[in-house]
Amino acid sequence: MLTQINLQHFKCFENLELPLAQLTLLTGTNASGKSSVLQGLVLLHQTMREHEWSKRLMLNGSTIQLGTVLDVVDQVHGRNSFEIGFKDDETNHHWTFEGERSDMSLLVKRFAVNGNYRQSPDVLRYLMPFDLLRDFGTPLADRLRGLSYITAERVGPREVYDLADKQSATVVGAAGEYAMSVLYWGREEPVLEGLTLPNVASKRFQQVEARMATLFPGFAMELQQVARANAVSLGLRTYADTDFLRPVHMGFGLTQVLPIVVAALSAGKDDILLIENPEVHLHPAGQALMGQFLADVAQAGVQVIVETHSDHVLNGIRRSVKAAKLEPEQVALHFFRSRNMDSAQVVSPQLDRFGNVDAWPEGFFDQFDKDANYFAGWGE
């Protein structure tokens, strides 16, 4: 498990050392750096996956497009380089990247792991010098290459969905664009132990369908390949007495949640799952259930990092802790604030075993209380 991410002179951070847990929740004000934490992971994932032998960190690819060095270097304290580091239970990996401000990639200027470092290494694989990769880096490289990243801008209802090649359909894609491919090719694969719902076949398709039904009662689906085409059609329903309908005729939330469920139930132990705004288009009760689902995924051994603005997602996680489905130390909460404030950029409240939060800094899911006080005549 990754236990910490370090970002120096990256985006809005002069220096960030952020603890990570089995389930990490990032929240805070808009434009405060939450997405930047995810992007640090995704940049490494993208380069390792698409440019195996590259000596440069690629800022633009099929997963994420961040522009030029000027766009990603901290414009207050940085110049033309930034650093990304990770700690896990056994190793500490650290990269220094450097480039001209108009470049769309950065050279690996320095790589270090557990005190062993290489300056401007000549030969890299997965952004690591070959000898250090062999001795220290393979588990981290595998986890970063295989992570799943789902943005808030997910693919909506479609008449048909592209069917990717079986060998390449291993992640659902940033917009969930490959979710139906992952589900179609892996429909007979077993789901990670600890995530299977009872009284349902342990195969991925049946478990995805059953898990969706916990969020959308009566949910059922069919997935069929379109004849003589690299595409599949998706049929949905939420009532047993109706035929399957095209996704465009169903609630928008179904197709927004489905890629998350597919990614989670396709993951293996120690895989990494990054999700932006899982609450999109969900009713508050559904948002709370999503929080509980993500807690189940984390408890099964998948490392989950989620960015959210939903207090209902948080409360779903808290309920799982109180129900002893997840230990308090398995959850990390981080509240991000603008760097312009005269206070810490990140505050990290703690949970106890009853799901109680030990501190509620200003702006941390307190808007409901502020509004309630206003209507009661107790505040502005």
Side-chain angles (χ1 to χ4, degrees), residues 110-125:
R110 187 176 188 270
F111 175 76
V113 56
N114 288 358
N116 299 274
Y117 72 91
R118 300 290 183 272
Q119 197 78 17
S120 300
D122 291 330
V123 179
L124 297 178
R125 187 182 186 193

Side-chain angles (χ1 to χ4, degrees), residues 43-296:
L43 281 177
L44 295 176
H45 159 78
Q46 176 169 268
T47 301
M48 291 178 178
R49 187 176 178 86
E50 299 180 12
H51 306 277
E52 179 179 341
W53 294 94
S54 176
K55 294 199 298 182
R56 305 182 70 89
L57 181 72
M58 312 306 292
L59 299 180
N60 304 279
S62 63
T63 304
I64 195 171
Q65 300 82 41
L66 294 185
T68 67
V69 174
L70 178 64
D71 297 307
V72 296
V73 171
D74 176 15
Q75 296 190 18
V76 178
H77 302 284
R79 303 187 68 176
N80 63 347
S81 67
F82 61 79
E83 300 178 22
I84 299 178
F86 295 102
K87 292 182 180 179
D88 61 22
D89 297 327
E90 298 179 354
T91 57
N92 183 357
H93 294 75
H94 195 93
W95 287 266
T96 300
F97 301 104
E98 183 178 274
E100 298 297 324
R101 293 169 76 83
S102 60
D103 289 347
M104 292 189 289
S105 64
L106 298 95
L107 186 69
V108 177
K109 187 66 176 178
R110 187 176 188 270
F111 175 76
V113 56
N114 288 358
N116 299 274
Y117 72 91
R118 300 290 183 272
Q119 197 78 17
S120 300
D122 291 330
V123 179
L124 297 178
R125 187 182 186 193
Y126 306 132
L127 293 173
M128 303 179 192
F130 190 75
D131 61 325
L132 296 183
L133 171 67
R134 178 195 60 215
D135 295 338
F136 299 102
T138 301
L140 179 66
D142 290 342
R143 297 187 68 206
L144 290 176
R145 287 169 55 228
L147 71 77
S148 291
Y149 170 57
I150 304 175
T151 71
E153 298 183 80
R154 299 189 276 279
V155 169
R158 296 288 187 270
E159 288 288 313
V160 295
Y161 295 84
D162 291 339
L163 183 61
D165 177 78
K166 185 176 183 179
Q167 301 304 314
S168 61
T170 57
V171 295
V172 302
E177 66 270 30
Y178 302 122
M180 294 305 99
S181 294
V182 171
L183 183 56
Y184 180 81
W185 293 120
R187 58 193 180 276
E188 297 296 322
E189 295 296 321
V191 169
L192 185 64
E193 184 178 356
L195 272 179
T196 55
L197 293 176
N199 304 317
V200 179
S202 62
K203 304 302 184 183
R204 185 181 300 169
F205 186 92
Q206 287 82 5
Q207 285 292 322
V208 168
E209 188 176 53
R211 187 66 70 164
M212 287 290 292
T214 67
L215 294 162
F216 306 96
F219 177 91
M221 64 181 176
E222 63 175 9
L223 192 62
Q224 299 179 344
Q225 185 170 5
V226 178
R228 294 177 295 280
N230 295 331
V232 291
S233 64
L234 175 66
L236 302 173
R237 69 184 181 196
T238 54
Y239 189 60
D241 291 340
T242 67
D243 292 330
F244 288 100
L245 301 175
R246 298 178 185 185
V248 70
H249 297 300
M250 302 297 292
F252 205 80
L254 275 72
T255 52
Q256 296 298 286
V257 170
L258 189 52
I260 296 174
V261 175
V262 171
L265 298 187
S266 303
K269 189 174 176 61
D270 296 325
D271 283 354
I272 302 171
L273 178 58
L274 312 180
I275 308 172
E276 293 181 353
N277 303 120
E279 68 271 15
V280 170
H281 295 287
L282 274 178
H283 181 275
Q287 296 178 34
L289 289 171
M290 174 59 74
Q292 294 177 62
F293 171 58
L294 295 177
D296 290 343

Side-chain angles (χ1 to χ4, degrees), residues 10-29:
F10 181 71
K11 302 294 285 285
C12 64
F13 298 114
E14 179 181 4
N15 186 45
L16 175 71
E17 297 180 353
L18 193 74
L20 302 175
Q22 196 67 44
L23 173 55
T24 302
L25 186 145
L26 312 177
T27 188
T29 58

